Amino acid sequence: MSHLQVLDLAQNNLSGNIPSCFSNLSAMTLKNQSTDPRIYSEAQYGTSYSSMESIVSVLLWLKGRGDEYRNILGLVTSIDLSSNKLLGEIPREITYLNGLNFLNMSHNQLIGHIPQGIGNMRSLQSIDFSRNQLSGKIPPTIANLSFLSMLDLSYNHLKGNIPTGTQLQTFDASSFIGNNLCGPPLPINCSSNGKTHSYEGSNGHGVNWFFVSMTIGFIVGFWIVIAPLLICRSWRYAYFHFLDHVWFKLQSFRLGSITV
């Protein structure tokens, strides 16, 4: 499928490894600079041309939202394999697709490292590798992607420093939470001994143990006070007698203040 520009296999039940033959998608290997608003298809007796302005309109979920592409569809290249059961590593052949704009492999069971050659994919505008089991460090070459406007590496097993680059530091911290990463934009400084800490964030899907412990403490304290009152009648009488006494004192104090 050398002319394929949009491959969307998201939200299926696909399993196994990602094939390495993706490098054969030659339409995604070179940056498309054509403004020709037509797509080409092989007919029985030659090549036929279809005007995209009048025929083709595709709704693509890119950068976390759905957009309709019509006139510029010929300029869009996308691979979406998200929400499947894919295993194994991300094949390095993916990095040969220098003309690819959008890459989404989130919500799978991918392992291994992010390919070092990802920095060669200079046309990438969006990368989503979130919610896999990727490990190792973020390749420093990812900072070379000057057109990158959306990045999500959250909830993997990545570690180390977030590479320094103008693009990476402008992303929200939620793009990196759920890993063992440090450095901006995360509020975790990288220590000199190389140790990092997992950061879940207050708006992510991680567990905020401070609020969990506070809630448990409130519930336990509440029942320590209330349970004896429910079980022991003499304690209830003593408790309400004490409240009546306090209320009487307060009323007497208030009336005394008014009289004065």
Side-chain angles (χ1 to χ4, degrees):
M1 296 184 290
S2 59
H3 295 289
L4 187 67
Q5 293 184 215
V6 176
L7 176 62
D8 188 349
L9 301 175
Q11 299 182 9
N12 283 286
N13 198 30
L14 299 175
S15 60
N17 295 347
I18 299 175
S20 59
C21 61
F22 272 48
S23 58
N24 295 334
L25 302 176
S26 56
M28 302 183 187
T29 58
L30 298 175
K31 185 175 180 180
N32 190 350
Q33 299 179 345
S34 173
T35 58
D36 187 358
R38 294 184 296 178
I39 58 175
Y40 305 90
S41 61
E42 296 294 333
Q44 184 176 2
Y45 300 104
T47 302
S48 63
Y49 305 91
S50 300
S51 172
M52 290 199 302
E53 278 192 315
S54 59
I55 298 178
V56 179
S57 176
V58 177
L59 179 66
L60 299 178
W61 286 90
L62 307 172
K63 299 183 181 180
R65 68 173 189 267
D67 292 319
E68 184 180 14
Y69 288 83
R70 182 186 296 270
N71 296 337
I72 63 171
L73 184 59
L75 303 178
V76 176
T77 52
S78 169
I79 294 179
D80 190 347
L81 305 178
S82 62
S83 300
N84 283 287
K85 298 180 180 179
L86 297 174
L87 306 170
E89 299 184 356
I90 300 174
R92 62 184 179 87
E93 286 78 8
I94 288 286
T95 63
Y96 299 163
L97 304 179
N98 297 330
L100 187 64
N101 302 134
F102 307 96
L103 178 60
N104 189 348
M105 296 184 177
S106 63
H107 293 80
N108 281 289
Q109 302 172 34
L110 301 176
I111 61 173
H113 296 182
I114 298 175
Q116 291 291 330
I118 195 168
N120 298 327
M121 305 174 71
R122 298 301 182 94
S123 299
L124 276 177
Q125 302 177 32
S126 174
I127 301 175
D128 192 346
F129 291 156
S130 63
R131 298 190 178 275
N132 281 286
Q133 301 176 34
L134 300 175
S135 58
K137 296 183 177 182
I138 301 176
T141 58
I142 201 172
N144 299 333
L145 304 178
S146 56
F147 291 105
L148 195 64
S149 60
M150 187 274 184
L151 174 67
D152 194 347
L153 304 177
S154 60
Y155 299 103
N156 282 282
H157 303 303
L158 301 172
K159 63 181 180 179
N161 300 12
I162 296 176
T164 302
T166 305
Q167 295 295 108
L168 298 184
Q169 273 61 58
T170 60
F171 294 126
D172 191 81
S174 61
S175 299
F176 304 97
I177 62 175
N179 292 285
N180 291 309
L181 296 168
C182 61
L186 294 178
I188 300 175
N189 294 326
C190 299
S191 59
S192 57
N193 58 9
K195 291 184 178 180
T196 56
H197 305 277
S198 179
Y199 175 72
E200 299 294 344
S202 58
N203 59 344
H205 298 281
V207 178
N208 193 317
W209 291 108
F210 172 76
F211 290 106
V212 171
S213 59
M214 186 173 65
T215 303
I216 294 175
F218 173 78
I219 294 174
V220 172
F222 177 81
W223 282 108
I224 287 176
V225 175
I226 297 299
L229 298 178
L230 297 177
I231 297 172
C232 184
R233 179 178 297 178
S234 60
W235 283 40
R236 288 202 300 271
Y237 288 157
Y239 178 70
F240 289 117
H241 177 72
F242 171 74
L243 291 180
D244 288 340
H245 180 71
V246 172
W247 177 252
F248 176 78
K249 288 288 187 181
L250 290 175
Q251 289 294 99
S252 301
F253 177 77
R254 187 177 65 85
L255 292 175
S257 299
I258 293 175
T259 302
V260 173

